[in-house]
Amino acid sequence: MSRKIMIIDTSVLLYDKNSIHSLPGNDIVLPLVVIDELDKFKEKPGLIGESARYVNRFLDKLRDLGRLDKGVFVEEYDQTFKILTEHLKDVNGLDPTKNDNKIISAACYLQDKNPDKKIKVVTKDINLRVKCDALGIIAEDYYKDFIDVEEFFSGVSEIEISDDKIDDIYEKNSIELDHKMPINTYVIAKGQSQGKSALCIYAENELRLLPGSSGDSETKRSDIKPKNKEQRFALHALRARDIPLVSLTGLAGSGKTFLTLLVAIDAVLEKKYERIVVTRSIETVGKDVGYLPGDIREKMEPWMAPIVDTFRHHFKDKTYLEMMIEKGTIEIAPLSFIRGRTFSDSFIIVDEAQNTTIHELKTIITRCGENSKIVLMGDTDQIDTPYIDKRSNGLTIVVEKFKESRLSAHVHLERGERSELATQASILL
C-alpha cells in the first residue's frame, strides 16, 4: 500500500497525545498553524495541556534527527514528520485568516505538489471535515477510540427457562447456565408460567439469585426503594464490594445520581469507605475553572447542582451536605486536577461521564487505590463536548471494553422516574 500524506489537526493532537504515532506507514504533516495552536494550550491543566506539551517535546527531539521543514523519518514508527512552512494556496471563498482554512489551504497545496499521493486530513472537527468534503479534500475522524457495534451493551439480559429451573434458583440461590454472556450481566429469568420469574446476576457459568429477591434484608439496609427492575440491578452493582467499577447510563430522571449518592452515603456511614469523591469534566461549558471566583468548592458549585438537588430532595435541606464537605467526608475534585492523586478507601462518583474522552476516564480510573469503588454516570444521548459522540465518548468505550471484566458491572436505566412530564419530555423532545 502506498504511503499517504496525513495532515493532523490540532483537535486530534489535543484529544490523544499518542495520535501523532498512531498512523504508521504514512507521512505526517503539521501545518505551522497547528504548532501555533498547540502553543496556546501547553500551560492548560489536565490532559489538554499534557497533550500539547507531549507533542511539542516530541517534535523538539526530532530536531536532532534533521530539519522538520524538510521532513524527518523515524524508523520506530515508520513515519516521516514534517512541519509545512511553504507558501500556502489561497482557496476561493475562504477567509485566509481562519486557522481551519489555513489547514484546508495546506491540504490543497499538498494536493497540487503531490498529484500521485493520497492526501488526507485527520480531524475531530466536524465542520472542518464538511468543508474539506465540499472542496474535494479527503477528511476523516480519528478512529482509534471508536466503538463500532450494532447494539450497545445494556448490562441487562432477558432469558426464558423452565419453571423447574426458576424453582431451583429460589431453592438453591443459583443454577448452572449453559448460555454465554458477559460476566456480571443482570438477568431477568422468565419461566413458562405467567408471573414465574427471578432476578439474577450471571457469573462463572451460573445464574445467581439477586440478594433481596427471596425476602432477605438486602433491600432493607437503607430507605432507598427501587422503582423498577433496572434500579434493583443498579442498587446491587452499587453495593457490591467485589465490583469496583460500575457504569450507569440512562435518560434524565432515571435515578442514576439519586441511587449512587445515597448508596455512597450509606457506605461511608457504615465505615466501608472513608470518603466520597465527586468529580466531573467542566470543559463542556467552554470555561476553565480558573475563570470563576473563589476556592475550588465555590468554582465547582455550578456543576454540582445535581448533587445538591439530590441532598435537598432526600434530606429536605443541604445542611447535611455542607457538614459532610466541611468534615472532608465529601470531596469535590475537578477532573482537570485529578492527575497524580491516589484515592484509597474512597467511593468515587464521576458525573456526566458521557462528556469525557476515554483518556480522561483512564486518568480517573487509574487513580483508584485499594478498597475504592468508582461509579461512572451519564446519558450518552446528551453529549455536550465537541469532537466526541455516542460512539467515541469515554463512557461508551469503558462500558464496551470492560463488559467482560469481573471487576465491572453496567446497567442502562431505560425508564425515567423523576416525573411523568420529565419522562415524556425526554422521549418526545
Side-chain angles (χ1 to χ4, degrees), residues 6-17 19-20 23 28-31 33-35 37-38 41 51 55 98-104 120-129 132 139-142 387:
M6 313 292 279
I7 303 172
I8 303 182
D9 181 28
T10 317
S11 61
V12 176
L13 298 173
L14 295 177
Y15 171 80
D16 177 13
K17 65 181 183 181
S19 60
I20 198 168
L23 300 166
I28 307 303
V29 173
L30 303 179
V33 64
V34 170
I35 307 302
E37 288 184 329
L38 285 176
F41 291 94
S51 296
V55 175
K98 301 290 185 181
N99 289 346
D100 282 358
N101 295 341
K102 292 179 181 179
I103 293 174
I104 292 174
K120 184 179 292 186
V121 175
V122 182
T123 176
K124 298 200 70 65
D125 188 331
I126 296 174
N127 192 56
L128 178 54
R129 295 201 298 268
C132 285
E140 66 178 31
D141 198 350
Y142 177 63
Y387 310 141

Side-chain angles (χ1 to χ4, degrees), residues 82-347:
K82 180 178 180 179
I83 295 178
L84 187 62
T85 60
E86 289 95 333
H87 173 71
L88 303 184
K89 177 180 178 180
D90 291 331
V91 181
N92 292 334
L94 293 182
D95 183 351
T97 65
K98 301 290 185 181
N99 289 346
D100 282 358
N101 295 341
K102 292 179 181 179
I103 293 174
I104 292 174
S105 179
C108 292
Y109 172 85
L110 290 171
Q111 281 185 333
D112 290 344
K113 291 292 184 180
N114 303 274
D116 58 333
K117 282 195 172 184
K118 181 177 287 188
I119 315 296
K120 184 179 292 186
V121 175
V122 182
T123 176
K124 298 200 70 65
D125 188 331
I126 296 174
N127 192 56
L128 178 54
R129 295 201 298 268
V130 171
K131 290 165 73 174
C132 285
D133 186 72
L135 293 167
I137 301 168
I138 300 174
E140 66 178 31
D141 198 350
Y142 177 63
Y143 288 113
K144 182 181 178 183
D145 300 323
F146 187 84
I147 297 299
D148 187 14
V149 294
E150 293 184 3
E151 186 175 350
F152 293 101
F153 180 57
S154 71
V156 178
S157 180
E158 186 175 303
I159 64 172
E160 293 185 3
I161 56 178
S162 67
D163 288 351
D164 289 340
K165 288 188 176 181
I166 294 289
D167 292 334
D168 287 342
I169 291 175
Y170 283 104
E171 181 180 345
K172 303 174 184 177
N173 285 324
S174 67
I175 61 168
E176 291 187 5
L177 183 69
D178 186 20
H179 184 88
K180 294 297 182 183
M181 63 181 71
I183 193 169
N184 291 335
T185 295
Y186 289 97
V187 177
I188 304 169
K190 291 189 173 182
Q192 299 162 326
S193 302
Q194 183 71 23
K196 198 88 168 180
S197 64
L199 301 182
C200 308
I201 184 171
Y202 175 80
E204 298 177 359
N205 297 319
E206 65 179 20
L207 281 185
R208 298 174 182 173
L209 186 66
L210 210 64
S213 300
S214 56
D216 60 30
S217 61
E218 173 69 12
T219 59
K220 300 177 182 179
R221 296 188 307 178
S222 74
D223 60 351
I224 309 173
K225 300 296 190 296
K227 295 185 177 181
N228 54 55
K229 294 186 290 293
E230 288 77 21
Q231 286 195 359
R232 280 281 306 277
F233 297 146
L235 280 173
H236 177 268
L238 291 168
R239 288 168 170 163
R241 299 299 300 277
D242 59 343
I243 303 178
L245 173 62
V246 176
S247 53
L248 301 179
T249 58
L251 53 79
S254 56
K256 303 182 297 293
T257 302
F258 183 78
L259 295 175
T260 301
L261 189 58
L262 294 188
V263 169
I265 293 171
D266 280 350
V268 168
L269 294 178
E270 294 168 7
K271 307 297 183 183
K272 294 178 179 178
Y273 305 98
E274 293 181 356
R275 60 177 172 168
I276 301 168
V277 178
V278 182
T279 186
R280 61 171 290 176
S281 172
I282 60 173
E283 299 290 342
T284 58
V285 295
K287 288 189 176 183
D288 189 271
V289 69
Y291 285 103
L292 297 175
D295 58 21
I296 288 294
R297 176 183 167 185
E298 292 171 319
K299 291 173 187 286
M300 289 295 292
E301 278 184 357
W303 292 276
M304 291 296 107
I307 304 296
V308 175
D309 290 342
T310 298
F311 267 90
R312 183 180 288 114
H313 173 77
H314 191 69
F315 297 104
K316 308 309 178 186
D317 64 34
K318 60 178 184 178
T319 306
Y320 192 45
L321 170 63
E322 293 172 348
M323 180 184 69
M324 296 185 78
I325 292 176
E326 290 297 328
K327 289 183 176 181
T329 307
I330 293 181
E331 177 184 348
I332 309 300
L335 192 60
S336 299
F337 298 92
I338 288 293
R339 181 167 292 279
R341 302 189 62 185
T342 299
F343 298 109
S344 299
D345 298 305
S346 301
F347 194 110

